[in-house]
């Protein structure tokens, strides 16, 4: 297992300080840029003094033009800063701008402002007045931190008070390798690669809304991995076979620790066709179930399935799987989680 692909269940994450110290630091502030601006200004002034047609307005425009790229791509700092700066001193929740400061210097959130007076100073609760904190608001709205799933591939930098929302939707949240005995715990995207390279499960990239033709997977060989194309964080689905007497029950599961979050839900149609035979077996899933696979793969006991009868199996039937993004109405309902 490569170290980048994930970690074993229950193992501690790498120490963030050590991890960070091993990374290439961001580019330091460009100390040379202001010198370049000053030089250009002097050249313009010198030209004007020698009878050139350049005016002082031209020189100012040159300075502004030189500064504009800096304003757009200003150097970034990586800081270590106490968490209390980002939390309300009354309710201790993450501070969302606008923040307010009481007469005693406590920084509180908008919700706590109305009830903080008495808690702050019972002797004169009515006297409590609050000042806005534009400087703090800039920090609260601009300072960003890496997603907690950075080690599993998420590249997002999130504003601190919005981190909870992001983590609830992050598609890089780790899931479990469903193969019995395997301890890997990683993001769906890296898990798909692991299932393909380590467990030799076939992997196919699929386009949403277009049927994908597969052989019917057998319980002995394992799942067929499908990876949805076109997303920033690719969605991973497993076509999961399980034995149902002499038949094979085929289920579809979306590998995701955040069911329904960050990009909506999916619907699917599984269609079984035998070459030269007009009969078809079809399973329509209005909502594809999601799960982190902590309890393994879905089975005929726990999930809906398309049954492939034994009489068809010698005829090498084709399985057509069509996955599509569910419409907005379906996206508003919460899908049942795979147990
Ligand atoms: Zn508060
Ligand atoms: Zn106070
Ligand atoms: Zn993330
Ligand atoms: Zn595995």
């Amino acid at each position: 297992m490569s170290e980048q692909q994930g970690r074993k269940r229950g193992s501690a994450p790498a120490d963030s300080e050590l991890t960070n110290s091993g990374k290439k630091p961001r580019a330091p502030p460009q100390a040379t840029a202001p010198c370049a601006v000053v030089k250009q200004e002097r050249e313009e002034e010198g030209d004007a003094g020698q009878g050139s047609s350049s005016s002082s307005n031209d020189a100012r425009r040159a300075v502004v033009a030189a500064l504009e790229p800096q304003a757009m791509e200003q150097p970034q700092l990586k800081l270590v800063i106490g968490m209390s700066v980002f939390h309300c001193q009354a309710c201790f929740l993450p501070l969302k701008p606008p923040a307010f400061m009481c007469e005693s210097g406590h920084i509180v959130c908008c919700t706590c402002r109305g009830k903080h007076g008495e808690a702050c100073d019972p002797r004169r609760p009515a006297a409590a007045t609050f000042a806005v904190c534009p400087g703090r608001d800039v920090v609260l709205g601009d300072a960003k931190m890496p997603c907690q799933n950075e080690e599993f591939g998420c590249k997002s930098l999130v504003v601190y008070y919005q981190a909870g929302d992001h983590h609830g939707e992050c598609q890089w949240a780790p899931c479990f390798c469903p193969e019995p005995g395997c301890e890997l715990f990683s993001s769906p995207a890296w898990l798909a690669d692991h299932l393909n390279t380590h467990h030799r499960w076939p992997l196919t990239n699929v386009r949403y809304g277009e049927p994908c033709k597969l052989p019917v997977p057998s319980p002995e060989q394992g799942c067929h991995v499908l990876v949805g194309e076109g997303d920033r964080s690719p969605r991973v689905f497993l076509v999961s076979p399980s034995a149902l007497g002499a038949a094979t029950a085929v289920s579809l599961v979306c590998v995701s620790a955040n069911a329904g979050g960050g990009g909506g839900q999916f619907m699917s149609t599984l269609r079984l066709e035998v070459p030269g035979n007009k009969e078809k077996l079809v399973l329509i899933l209005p909502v594809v179930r999601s799960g982190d696979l902590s309890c393994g793969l879905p089975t005929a006991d726990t999930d809906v399935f398309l049954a492939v009868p034994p009489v068809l199996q010698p005829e090498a039937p084709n399985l057509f799987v069509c996955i599509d993004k569910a419409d907005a109405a379906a996206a508003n309902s919460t899908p049942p989680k795979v147990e």
Side-chain angles (χ1 to χ4, degrees):
M1 181 188 82
S2 95
E3 232 178 285
Q4 251 209 329
Q5 278 196 327
R7 67 170 196 253
K8 294 191 172 182
R9 300 179 196 205
S11 65
D15 182 88
S16 60
E17 214 172 338
L18 290 175
T19 308
N20 289 342
S21 68
K23 287 182 182 166
K24 193 178 172 188
R26 291 178 193 275
Q30 299 296 311
T32 55
C35 299
V37 172
V38 171
K39 182 168 179 282
Q40 184 160 8
E41 191 175 20
R42 282 180 184 154
E43 281 172 359
E44 296 284 352
E45 283 171 358
D47 288 344
Q50 291 162 15
S52 159
S53 61
S54 297
S55 66
S56 60
N57 280 346
D58 291 335
R60 272 196 291 276
R61 273 198 294 274
V63 172
V64 170
L67 284 171
E68 271 174 354
Q70 270 190 297
M72 289 169 66
E73 293 179 31
Q74 59 180 317
Q76 303 285 300
L77 286 175
K78 199 167 187 177
L79 299 173
V80 176
I81 189 166
M83 277 178 70
S84 61
V85 170
F86 297 93
H87 285 254
C88 169
Q89 287 180 273
C91 67
F92 306 111
L93 292 172
L95 259 178
K96 177 183 175 184
F100 298 90
M101 184 165 66
C102 76
E103 292 170 326
S104 302
H106 299 126
I107 305 284
V108 298
C109 69
C110 189
T111 308
C112 292
R113 180 175 56 154
K115 53 197 176 190
H116 175 67
E118 191 163 359
C120 180
D121 188 352
R123 292 164 299 176
R124 50 187 192 105
T129 57
F130 294 86
V132 292
C133 313
R136 180 70 67 100
D137 289 348
V138 168
V139 173
L140 296 174
D142 195 44
K144 298 182 183 69
M145 57 185 276
C147 169
Q148 67 180 12
N149 298 314
E150 182 186 29
E151 65 170 310
F152 301 114
C154 184
K155 301 273 194 297
S156 295
L157 290 172
V158 288
V159 172
Y160 185 77
Y161 72 87
Q162 294 172 336
D165 291 341
H166 173 81
H167 294 151
E169 295 188 338
C170 180
Q171 289 307 311
W172 298 89
C175 298
F176 298 86
C177 176
E179 189 74 327
C182 183
E183 298 288 307
L184 191 94
F185 177 64
S186 190
S187 60
W190 288 357
L191 194 56
D193 186 52
H194 163 81
L195 293 170
N196 180 239
T197 57
H198 192 77
H199 298 300
R200 303 286 172 202
W201 290 2
L203 185 150
T204 302
N205 291 312
V206 296
R207 288 183 180 280
Y208 296 124
E210 294 182 13
C212 165
K213 181 175 152 186
L214 313 170
V216 176
S218 72
E220 300 78 38
Q221 291 168 340
C223 296
H224 197 116
V225 184
L226 302 179
V227 178
E229 285 186 334
D231 279 337
R232 199 163 58 94
S233 51
R235 293 303 194 102
V236 176
F237 303 85
L238 298 179
V239 181
S240 170
S242 58
L244 183 69
T248 300
V250 179
S251 305
L252 183 71
V253 61
C254 175
V255 183
S256 173
N258 290 318
Q265 300 167 355
F266 297 88
M267 54 189 297
S268 179
T269 304
L270 275 64
R271 193 174 78 243
L272 190 77
E273 290 185 14
V274 177
N277 188 334
K278 288 186 178 174
E279 291 177 350
K280 297 182 177 73
L281 293 173
V282 179
L283 173 68
I284 297 172
L285 298 169
V287 177
V288 177
R289 296 190 179 207
S290 298
D292 65 2
L293 307 181
S294 54
C295 297
L297 290 167
T299 67
D301 293 332
T302 62
D303 206 355
V304 290
F305 56 84
L306 178 73
V308 183
V311 67
L312 291 183
Q313 288 173 15
E315 301 188 50
N318 291 315
L319 179 66
F320 292 86
V321 180
C322 181
I323 300 171
D324 209 353
K325 292 182 176 175
D327 59 25
N332 286 335
S333 65
T334 305
K337 194 157 174 146
V338 174
E339 295 299 332

